[in-house]
Amino acid sequence: MASKPSTPQQQKLLAVLIDADNASAAMVEGLFEEIAKFGVASVKRIYGDWTQPNLGKWKQVLLDHSIQPIQQFAYTRGKNATDSALIIDAMDLLYTRRFDGFCLVSSDSDFTRLAARLREEGLTVYGFGEEKTPAPFVSACDKFIYTEILRADAAQAADEPAGNGDKGKTTAGSVPAEPAKSAAKKKPQKVPVDFIAKIIDDVNDEDGWVELGMLGQSIGKLRPAFDARLYGFKKLSDLIKGQAKRFELQVRGSSATGGEALYVRNRKAGR
């Protein structure tokens, strides 16, 4: 019998589990756009006590994005039964062995152990929560995205005028920085250049260069919540280009892809 053809670039299957008590309906548009970068949202569930009026804003969002609401009554005041229901479902989904990763959407530190347990099984865990999310939960995820970024991105996309497709294009070989327009009023954080410089020193080759993708992976391992958008840039390459006094960039041809790849190294004093 002929074997099933392989699909080397097949997207990862993800289970998206949302804690309605600790997530805002306003960020859902940006949430699923972000999740699409990592894989396919094969399961989309949201947990809460839907008899409560405070969750009323979710109704239209659930319909628009085909999210399955899971009803969980609050049996005892002060006890969060929603968290328990989400955790039980996550473990059930884990043991089906059908998923490559989980997206946990909450700012609640109660999911720290769940994230760690999923990673113990070799699955990738993407966390999504507000900047108030406790550090243990952030660190327990492979990647953590602050939802304030997603809301800002969504607002920017809505406000961006049409016919702007050529903006930001450059001639071949040029690598100018392209700061992101901040739709939120919050001031961007200061770029952690010393931290980035140390990572470059740790993973560079004998000439001091490191491929940008490898740099990003190394940064993410130490700081899961690192995101160029926090510092006012669309992506890591733009952030690096914006720090020309500290870093050098070089464009090289890639034998693996046939395209171009960016390499970065620390700029030496006086160079």
Side-chain angles (χ1 to χ4, degrees), residues 160-183:
E160 195 168 84
N164 202 28
D166 293 335
K167 187 174 181 180
K169 289 188 177 179
T170 61
T171 57
S174 62
V175 285
E178 186 181 356
K181 295 178 181 177
S182 178

Side-chain angles (χ1 to χ4, degrees), residues 155-224:
Q156 177 184 333
D159 293 339
E160 195 168 84
N164 202 28
D166 293 335
K167 187 174 181 180
K169 289 188 177 179
T170 61
T171 57
S174 62
V175 285
E178 186 181 356
K181 295 178 181 177
S182 178
K185 298 298 183 182
K186 188 174 180 179
K187 184 179 179 181
Q189 299 178 21
K190 183 179 178 181
V191 177
V193 289
D194 291 335
F195 169 71
I196 297 172
K198 184 180 184 306
I199 297 298
I200 293 173
D201 283 337
D202 290 341
V203 300
N204 60 15
D205 60 22
E206 58 184 13
D207 295 319
W209 294 99
V210 58
E211 197 271 325
L212 191 68
M214 180 182 293
L215 174 62
Q217 292 174 12
S218 299
I219 291 173
K221 289 176 182 178
L222 293 176
R223 293 190 182 181

Side-chain angles (χ1 to χ4, degrees), residues 2-230:
S3 59
K4 184 178 178 180
S6 61
T7 53
Q9 295 184 343
Q10 185 176 5
Q11 288 189 310
K12 293 181 177 180
L13 292 182
L14 304 174
V16 181
L17 307 180
I18 305 172
D19 174 13
D21 295 328
N22 285 283
S24 169
M27 59 82 196
V28 169
E29 187 76 30
L31 171 69
F32 284 103
E33 288 179 1
E34 192 75 14
I35 290 173
K37 299 177 183 178
F38 307 125
V40 177
S42 180
V43 166
K44 295 182 284 186
R45 298 179 184 175
I46 185 168
Y47 299 78
D49 184 354
W50 302 101
T51 64
Q52 300 299 314
N54 62 303
L55 298 183
K57 293 181 180 179
W58 281 100
K59 182 177 180 181
Q60 189 59 46
V61 173
L62 304 187
L63 295 173
D64 290 344
H65 294 275
S66 189
I67 306 172
Q68 180 184 4
I70 305 297
Q71 170 63 33
Q72 182 58 55
F73 291 103
Y75 299 120
T76 306
R77 185 178 298 276
K79 300 292 184 180
N80 198 336
T82 299
D83 291 1
S84 299
L86 190 156
I87 292 169
I88 291 170
D89 270 13
M91 298 308 294
D92 286 343
L93 292 170
L94 166 66
Y95 291 127
T96 66
R97 307 298 179 187
R98 294 189 293 116
F99 300 94
D100 301 296
F102 280 74
C103 299
L104 304 179
V105 186
S106 178
S107 302
D108 192 339
S109 63
D110 289 348
F111 298 111
T112 301
R113 179 58 189 139
L114 172 62
R117 181 67 183 88
L118 295 172
R119 291 182 68 186
E120 288 173 2
E121 292 293 322
L123 300 184
T124 304
V125 178
Y126 303 98
F128 297 84
E130 297 178 358
E131 291 186 23
K132 67 181 182 181
T133 304
F137 181 33
V138 174
S139 299
C141 300
D142 291 283
K143 175 69 177 175
F144 198 92
I145 296 94
Y146 291 124
T147 53
E148 287 88 348
I149 295 174
L150 305 181
R151 297 176 70 171
D153 284 353
Q156 177 184 333
D159 293 339
E160 195 168 84
N164 202 28
D166 293 335
K167 187 174 181 180
K169 289 188 177 179
T170 61
T171 57
S174 62
V175 285
E178 186 181 356
K181 295 178 181 177
S182 178
K185 298 298 183 182
K186 188 174 180 179
K187 184 179 179 181
Q189 299 178 21
K190 183 179 178 181
V191 177
V193 289
D194 291 335
F195 169 71
I196 297 172
K198 184 180 184 306
I199 297 298
I200 293 173
D201 283 337
D202 290 341
V203 300
N204 60 15
D205 60 22
E206 58 184 13
D207 295 319
W209 294 99
V210 58
E211 197 271 325
L212 191 68
M214 180 182 293
L215 174 62
Q217 292 174 12
S218 299
I219 291 173
K221 289 176 182 178
L222 293 176
R223 293 190 182 181
F226 182 93
D227 195 307
R229 291 169 293 184
L230 291 171

